[in-house]
């Protein structure tokens, strides 16, 4: 009887660990250069969502950058627009083979998404970048 309770408790803990407070929104790109932006839609279902935003890149073996400056234009559900430049510092990787990798870079902490609805992030690099297959935004609630 005690063993069954222990196993049930472990199952409940494992099921709880599978529920991540992080949402990822991604846009596939064929070209990532100043003429071809990535538009990422972040769907916020709860007003006053508080957390952290990260930018991520899915790359292939052609990607060899250690930093990248992108222009980020944000549109909120209540029609507000903001624009800024942000320098992404790419951590070094040790790839043994030509596998794809996902690089996450912190963008903003302590972000409050006040309105329910869709936020649009347009990310445009200031120069051509080879090897980027997808660009995305992670929103981790706190």
């Amino acid at each position: 009887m005690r063993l069954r309770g222990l196993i049930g408790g472990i199952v409940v803990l494992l099921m709880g660990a599978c529920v991540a407070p992080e949402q990822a929104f991604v846009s596939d790109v064929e070209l990532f250069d100043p003429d071809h932006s990535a538009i990422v839609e972040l769907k916020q279902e709860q007003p006053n969502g508080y957390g952290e935003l990260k930018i991520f890149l899915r790359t292939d073996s052609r990607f060899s950058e250690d930093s990248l400056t992108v222009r980020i234009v944000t549109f909120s559900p209540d029609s507000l627009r903001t624009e800024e430049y942000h320098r992404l510092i790419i951590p070094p990787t040790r790839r043994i083979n030509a596998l794809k990798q996902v690089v996450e870079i912190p963008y903003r902490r302590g972000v409050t998404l006040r309105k329910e609805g869709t936020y649009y992030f347009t990310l445009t690099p200031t120069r051509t970048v080879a090897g980027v297959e997808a660009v995305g935004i992670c929103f981790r609630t706190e």
Side-chain angles (χ1 to χ4, degrees):
M1 184 69 166
R2 205 169 164 194
L3 180 62
R4 189 181 320 166
L6 180 63
I7 291 173
I10 291 172
V11 168
V12 168
L13 284 174
L14 290 175
M15 288 175 59
C18 293
V19 178
E22 183 173 80
Q23 299 175 351
F25 304 90
V26 66
S27 174
D28 291 331
V29 294
E30 290 186 28
L31 295 172
F32 196 50
D33 62 23
D35 295 328
H36 298 91
S37 301
I39 300 173
V40 180
E41 298 179 15
L42 187 152
K43 296 184 189 312
Q44 177 65 12
E45 296 176 359
Q46 298 175 356
N48 294 322
Y50 179 79
E52 174 184 16
L53 290 172
K54 292 182 183 179
I55 296 172
F56 69 89
L57 306 172
R58 186 179 68 218
T59 63
D60 62 21
S61 61
R62 297 175 298 141
F63 185 78
S64 62
E65 306 295 328
D66 62 353
S67 68
L68 176 64
T69 301
V70 294
R71 190 179 96 228
I72 303 171
V73 180
T74 306
F75 298 94
S76 67
D78 56 353
S79 301
L80 294 177
R81 178 186 184 274
T82 183
E83 181 176 335
E84 67 179 324
Y85 286 88
H86 188 73
R87 184 170 182 207
L88 308 177
I89 305 298
I90 314 295
T93 59
R94 297 181 181 172
R95 251 193 267 198
I96 302 171
N97 52 19
L99 293 177
K100 298 175 187 340
Q101 72 172 7
V102 175
V103 179
E104 279 190 7
I105 302 104
Y107 172 49
R108 292 274 178 240
R109 291 189 179 125
V111 174
T112 302
L113 302 178
R114 297 196 187 283
K115 298 289 182 180
E116 186 176 330
T118 303
Y119 290 78
Y120 293 93
F121 295 86
T122 302
L123 293 95
T124 309
T126 56
R127 59 186 163 79
T128 302
V129 182
V132 176
E133 296 182 344
V135 178
I137 299 278
C138 288
F139 182 60
R140 176 178 290 257
T141 57
E142 297 177 353

